[in-house]
Amino acid sequence: MYRIGELSKLANISPRTIDYYTSLGLIEPAERSAKNYRLYAHETLLRLERIEQMKKDKYTLDEIKATLESWSKITPEEQVSRKLTDLQLHLSQLEREVKELEPVIKNLKPRQANRLYTRLMPQTAACIEALMLLINKSSLM
């Protein structure tokens, strides 16, 4: 359990923002301490991370609240199913982007391509390889 100050540091947001989110009903304390401090569960930290990500994605606080409320109404199986659907949509978007880059990469001279690949982080190169395998293309690297 976290007090507001601890939660604030872990989530990298101000205690005032946590108070505001609590007043809006976006988060709620799990319990009160003997000294009447609000205590928040670890799940609240995860919820704050979701809220901050949705804010970065330009959702309004009302939209975030509605989304979080709808998530709490679905079963874990539905959550997994929705997440898999979201991942499939994201994979489709990545596939389109890879297909757009493919002609550009094919037209690079060998030294240009080599220089490009050496600048990639290993995780990025592995991700590109995996995408190419998923869309049944031959390896570019």
Side-chain angles (χ1 to χ4, degrees), residues 40-80:
Y40 294 88
H42 181 72
E43 290 76 26
T44 305
L45 178 60
L46 302 175
R47 190 173 178 107
L48 284 170
E49 290 171 355
R50 281 191 218 121
I51 291 168
E52 291 303 305
Q53 182 58 51
M54 291 176 80
K55 280 177 54 181
K56 287 178 187 173
D57 292 338
K58 308 292 186 211
Y59 285 88
T60 66
L61 290 177
D62 287 335
E63 291 170 330
I64 292 171
K65 185 176 182 179
T67 301
L68 293 175
E69 286 173 354
S70 72
W71 285 350
S72 65
K73 293 177 184 175
I74 61 174
T75 65
E77 292 83 11
E78 290 172 316
Q79 287 177 343
V80 170

Side-chain angles (χ1 to χ4, degrees), residues 113-124:
N114 190 31
R115 199 171 341 148
L116 173 71
Y117 298 140
T118 58
R119 291 183 184 169
L120 294 176
M121 292 178 27
Q123 299 91 333
T124 304

Side-chain angles (χ1 to χ4, degrees), residues 3 5-6 15 24 33 35 42 59 72 102 107 121 125 131:
R3 289 182 20 194
E6 297 166 325
L24 291 177
S33 71
K35 294 185 178 183
H42 181 72
Y59 285 88
S72 65
E102 193 173 24
N107 289 330
M121 292 178 27
L131 283 170

Side-chain angles (χ1 to χ4, degrees), residues 87-125:
L87 288 171
Q88 181 61 44
L89 291 171
H90 190 68
L91 181 60
S92 297
Q93 174 63 31
L94 289 173
E95 183 179 338
R96 284 191 299 277
E97 290 176 18
V98 167
K99 285 180 180 178
E100 289 173 9
L101 283 175
E102 193 173 24
V104 175
I105 293 171
K106 284 183 179 179
N107 289 330
L108 290 176
K109 294 178 182 172
R111 274 200 329 203
Q112 289 174 319
N114 190 31
R115 199 171 341 148
L116 173 71
Y117 298 140
T118 58
R119 291 183 184 169
L120 294 176
M121 292 178 27
Q123 299 91 333
T124 304

